[in-house]
Amino acid sequence: LEKETGILHPRSIKVNTNQIDYIRMGTTVATNALLERKGERIALLTTKGFKDLQQIGNQSRPKIFDLEIIKPDLLYEYVYEVNERVKLVNQVEEDSNIEYGTSNEELIV
């Protein structure tokens, strides 16, 4: 950043982000592994009752009346359903473990 802007940016001082329009991040290795279906075998953990959600998807497709739909293979090999729910804090008991969401909402997991 210092090389690009010509301004010193000590680690102890926050960077002024007013002039940043966007941030684009990614890793070629991870992206290629997903596209080529290479890499480690993985499993999907999901809320109980949502096992087929990734396979069903949202039914959006470019040719909506096409009778021969070719779907890509799933990235995971196994699906494990977890008996869990996330509730808003005002819906639970006082002794519960409270977590905070990205927009600072209180949740219990």
Side-chain angles (χ1 to χ4, degrees):
L1 186 58
E2 291 174 353
K3 185 177 178 181
E4 185 66 29
T5 63
I7 301 169
L8 291 177
H9 296 284
R11 290 183 182 263
S12 59
I13 298 174
K14 290 185 178 182
V15 174
N16 182 355
T17 58
N18 290 338
Q19 295 181 9
I20 296 176
D21 291 328
Y22 65 92
I23 297 176
R24 186 171 144 193
M25 297 173 57
T27 64
T28 304
V29 174
T31 302
N32 287 346
L34 289 172
L35 292 173
E36 297 170 5
R37 300 294 200 259
K38 294 180 179 176
E40 297 296 322
R41 296 167 51 195
I42 61 171
L44 172 69
L45 299 176
T46 188
T47 302
K48 189 171 186 173
F50 291 92
K51 180 178 182 176
D52 298 326
L53 187 63
Q54 296 296 317
Q55 188 172 10
I56 294 169
N58 62 9
Q59 299 300 313
S60 64
R61 53 191 182 270
K63 298 178 182 174
I64 194 151
F65 298 109
D66 194 348
L67 298 177
E68 295 181 26
I69 301 166
I70 300 171
K71 295 170 69 173
D73 293 335
L74 298 172
L75 297 176
Y76 51 86
E77 203 168 319
Y78 300 102
V79 180
Y80 297 99
E81 294 181 294
V82 180
N83 190 16
E84 59 82 34
R85 288 288 182 256
V86 175
K87 300 178 182 179
L88 293 175
V89 168
N90 61 2
Q91 298 174 340
V92 296
E93 304 82 40
E94 285 185 29
D95 295 337
S96 301
N97 183 23
I98 297 173
E99 299 289 335
Y100 294 91
T102 54
S103 57
N104 211 31
E105 69 276 15
E106 295 178 325
L107 305 167
I108 180 160
V109 180

